[in-house]
Structures are given as C-alpha cells and as structure tokens.
C-alpha cells in the first residue's frame, strides 16, 4: 500500500509540473473527427461511443507530453485561442481527454508532426475547436489549464471480460477526472487492487461472479470515492452500474 501511495504521488507531481497547477500554459491545437465528431469515437482511453458515455463533442486527443501513458484520460482542460487575431475566436471551451494523438516522426514538429514529443498539443473534436478557432486556421496557438470536471450523475462502471478476467471501464468521473487507481471488493472478498489494462479499463483476475461489487476509485489529486455494492450479486458481463461521485 505504501508503494502504491508513493507511485500515485510521483505521478501527480509529474503531471502538475507539465500542467502548471492551474496556470495558463501555452500549447497548440488542431482538430479531427468531422463536423459531427463521429470520427472521435473509440480512441485510446477506451470510452467507446462518446455520445452515449456523456462526453459529447467537447473532447480532445492529447500529445505524448500530456497523455501520461493514458493516465490523463478523463482529465478536463479549459482552452482559449491565444494571440492569433486572424484565426482566433473569443471565449474558452472545456474539453475532456478521451484519446491519444500519436507522434508522427516522419514529419517535422513544425510542419505536420504537431503531436511529436515534447510538444504540448490538443487534437480537438472539430465542434470543440470551432468554439475557439476558425476552421480554415487548421492549427492555432492556445493556452490551457486543468480544471475540475463537472459530470452529471455518478461514476459509471462497465463490467466486461469473463470469469477470472474482470475488465472494468470507469467513465463519467468528476473532480480531477483522471483515474490513477481502482480497487474492487466482492461481498465475499476483501479489497483487491486492479491493474490498468489500457486507457481507463481496469483489470482484476479474481473470481467475482455471484457477488455484489464495490469499487474504490482514486484520482490524480489523491482523492478517493467509494461506491459500495454498486453491482448486485446477479450482475452480468456487459452491464454498466452507477456509483457515487467525487
């Protein structure tokens, strides 16, 4: 447990160094996914259909420097177009990190390789981009900062996989938004830490069938939300359950 807490603290410190602890930080932004953002579905965070999951079109794919190996999935950022009168629009937009913008080492970081390390870059869903920048601008300078996520309802836990391989997708997380640790407890077990499989899919290899399930979720700010008995004993794989919120 002590090593887990130290790892969480280290990841939090690292992320704060990049994000400036709420200060405005310069970056750049492009867009993808089409005018209806249909091309943003799926993605490296594992959220699947962003419409049905409640994320909508105010989403973004993050460059390597921001993605944090997937641990930034679910984090919320406020962006504004910065000092480009030709292509900027006034105001700000809040986006949730739902995908990864991979590097393109075949292109220069100043000519197409916008997501190459160590660049801070947001590849935004087109509708979100057009709230702060003009379509014809293509790429615009932005300033961003981390802000708390405001979500409707509780945290969602979608239980996938099969017996002895429980893969739980955690979505709709408020507060810091980015989940850094998850534990599960069956009605006949103690708390079992889950390992992150990919994106925000968390894995447990215990036999949890026929038990009510409780979940403990810890975000990057060290805060924890516990949802007791959120799944009844007769739960089935593929079902989604709604727990408490931050």
């Amino acid at each position: 447990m002590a090593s887990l807490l130290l790892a969480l603290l280290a990841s939090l410190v690292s992320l704060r160094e990049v994000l400036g602890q709420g200060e405005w930080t310069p970056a750049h932004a492009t867009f993808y996914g089409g005018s209806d953002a249909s091309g943003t579905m799926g993605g490296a965070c594992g959220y699947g259909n962003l419409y049905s999951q409640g994320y909508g079109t105010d989403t973004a794919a993050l460059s390597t420097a921001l993605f944090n190996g997937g641990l930034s999935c679910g984090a919320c950022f406020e962006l504004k177009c910065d000092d480009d009168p030709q292509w900027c629009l006034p105001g700000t937009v809040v986006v949730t990190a739902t995908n990864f913008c991979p590097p393109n080492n075949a292109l220069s970081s100043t000519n197409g390789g916008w997501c190459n390390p160590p660049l801070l870059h947001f590849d935004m869903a087109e509708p979100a981009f057009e709230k702060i920048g003009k379509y014809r601008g293509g790429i615009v300078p932005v300033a961003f900062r981390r802000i708390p996520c405001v979500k409707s309802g509780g945290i969602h836990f979608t239980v996938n996989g099969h017996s002895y391989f429980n893969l739980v997708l955690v979505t709709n997380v408020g507060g810091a938004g980015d989940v850094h640790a998850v534990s599960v407890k069956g009605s006949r077990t103690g708390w079992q830490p889950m390992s992150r499989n990919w994106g925000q899919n968390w894995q447990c290899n215990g036999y949890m069938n026929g038990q009510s399930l409780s979940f403990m979720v810890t975000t990057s700010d060290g805060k924890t939300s516990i949802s007791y008995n959120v799944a009844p004993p007769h739960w089935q794989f593929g079902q989604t359950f709604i727990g408490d919120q931050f």
Side-chain angles (χ1 to χ4, degrees), residues 129-212:
F129 178 90
E130 291 191 290
K131 292 179 180 179
I132 60 170
K134 298 177 183 178
Y135 178 91
R136 292 184 61 191
I139 178 171
V140 296
V142 297
F144 74 95
R145 62 184 178 184
R146 274 288 293 274
I147 64 169
C149 298
V150 179
K151 301 299 182 184
S152 176
I155 300 171
H156 293 189
F157 303 93
T158 302
V159 184
N160 295 307
H162 51 79
S163 299
Y164 296 104
F165 180 72
N166 308 280
L167 193 65
V168 178
L169 173 63
V170 183
T171 60
N172 200 55
V173 181
D178 49 348
V179 176
H180 280 210
V182 179
S183 294
V184 61
K185 180 185 181 304
S187 51
R188 298 192 299 271
T189 75
W191 286 105
Q192 301 181 36
M194 307 183 77
S195 59
R196 192 170 63 89
N197 188 292
W198 67 281
Q200 284 298 348
N201 284 281
W202 294 80
Q203 172 185 338
C204 168
N205 295 330
Y207 186 77
M208 311 301 289
N209 300 51
Q211 304 178 61
S212 60

Side-chain angles (χ1 to χ4, degrees), residues 18-41:
V18 172
L19 301 181
Q21 302 184 53
E23 300 293 328
W24 289 103
T25 302
H28 282 84
T30 48
F31 60 87
Y32 78 116
S35 60
D36 61 355
S38 59
T40 67
M41 300 298 110

